[in-house]
Amino acid sequence: MVQLSDQVVMYLEDTYLMELTTEVMAAGRHDDGAAWVAVRRNIFHPQGGGQPADRGWAGEREAAAVRDPATGLVVVRGGFDDLAVGDAVHTRIDAELRLLHAALHTAGHLVEAAGRVEGWTMAGSVHFPGQARIEFTPQDALDDRDKAAARLTEYVEAAVADDLPVTADHDGAGRRIVRLGEAHAAPCGGTHVRSLADLAHVTIGSVKVKKGRVRVSYDAAHRPRA
Ligand SMILES: [Zn+2]
């Protein structure tokens, strides 16, 4: 029986690891008949936590990563009929897309941090390119959205200028806690940049109020790599 703990979740250890030769640790078929494999040292981030899946390849074939609900393993589907448990396989991901996802996701933490300063509580998050937003439950009705947007922008720009480090550790309950320096901490299993100076073009878009929630749209990119 394959255990979740047998799979090493490489994307949690190193956002910037873009390719790796590893081995097939499990193989099977989805209900629709498509063959899937799970690899031992897994670089593929599946969709989850508001973050889209990586685009990736196993060998020469495109591999769509999903989390198997039965085992919790990240599995990749893509017609891997010729791969068996124990086989070596070269895996890689789309590096530019990984960096964009990590930048948007990390910027989402930063926007949440800015919202907490306003006295707001995060109620939802979407980190997809082109539609990134954080939703908050405010303590009080928001009277001036433009001023709130200006305060959020000021907070975000200062944190990026301070180049706060992005780190992760585990709390007593085993949850992974992601930190932006001393400014912010939140449980998270996503991919992050190394420090906030890795972010470029962080912008606060619109601040809207809908059904009592404050919705803050934002955008970010990864700074060009040397
Ligand atoms: Zn995160």
Side-chain angles (χ1 to χ4, degrees), residues 51 105-106 109 127 176 178 186-192:
Q51 184 175 339
H105 180 94
T106 308
H109 284 281
H127 308 296
R176 182 173 186 255
V178 171
C188 186
T191 59
H192 307 88

Side-chain angles (χ1 to χ4, degrees), residues 1-215:
M1 179 69 189
V2 174
Q3 302 285 324
L4 177 58
S5 56
D6 293 339
Q7 188 172 53
V8 185
V9 186
M10 301 303 293
Y11 63 77
L12 292 183
E13 298 181 14
D14 185 357
T15 294
Y16 296 82
L17 182 62
M18 304 299 184
E19 57 183 303
L20 180 67
T21 297
T22 179
E23 65 167 10
V24 175
M25 64 178 286
R29 286 185 187 281
H30 292 288
D31 290 341
D32 63 4
W36 59 263
V37 296
V39 293
R40 178 83 56 194
R41 299 170 73 219
N42 173 66
I43 60 173
F44 304 111
H45 184 284
Q47 184 172 327
Q51 184 175 339
D54 283 316
R55 179 164 191 243
W57 295 266
E60 293 305 311
R61 276 159 307 187
E62 192 145 343
V66 295
R67 191 174 297 283
D68 178 52
T71 61
L73 291 171
V74 176
V75 305
V76 292
R77 51 178 289 150
F80 300 110
D81 301 80
D82 56 335
L83 285 177
V85 173
D87 286 352
V89 60
H90 183 74
T91 60
R92 67 187 170 95
I93 55 171
D94 183 324
E96 294 307 313
L97 200 56
R98 159 63 64 86
L99 294 183
L100 176 61
H101 290 168
L104 283 167
H105 180 94
T106 308
H109 284 281
L110 184 52
V111 174
E112 186 197 355
R116 280 191 196 174
V117 173
E118 298 288 316
W120 305 342
T121 305
M122 190 172 81
S125 60
V126 172
H127 308 296
F128 280 62
Q131 37 180 314
R133 60 187 184 269
I134 306 290
E135 286 193 8
F136 297 96
T137 308
Q139 273 178 332
D140 305 302
L142 189 59
D143 50 6
D144 191 326
R145 288 174 293 162
D146 290 340
K147 280 186 181 162
R151 287 193 302 272
L152 295 172
T153 298
E154 189 180 350
Y155 182 97
V156 163
E157 287 181 350
V160 172
D162 285 346
D163 190 18
L164 298 181
V166 183
T167 58
D169 50 65
H170 288 84
D171 70 5
R175 291 183 310 170
R176 182 173 186 255
I177 306 295
V178 171
R179 300 176 193 278
L180 308 180
E182 309 269 299
H184 184 73
C188 186
T191 59
H192 307 88
V193 303
R194 294 161 293 202
S195 72
L196 294 186
D198 282 333
L199 299 179
H201 313 301
V202 187
T203 52
I204 300 294
S206 62
V207 174
K208 292 179 179 164
V209 180
K210 261 189 180 168
K211 294 180 180 167
R213 281 188 174 184
V214 178
R215 174 186 282 192

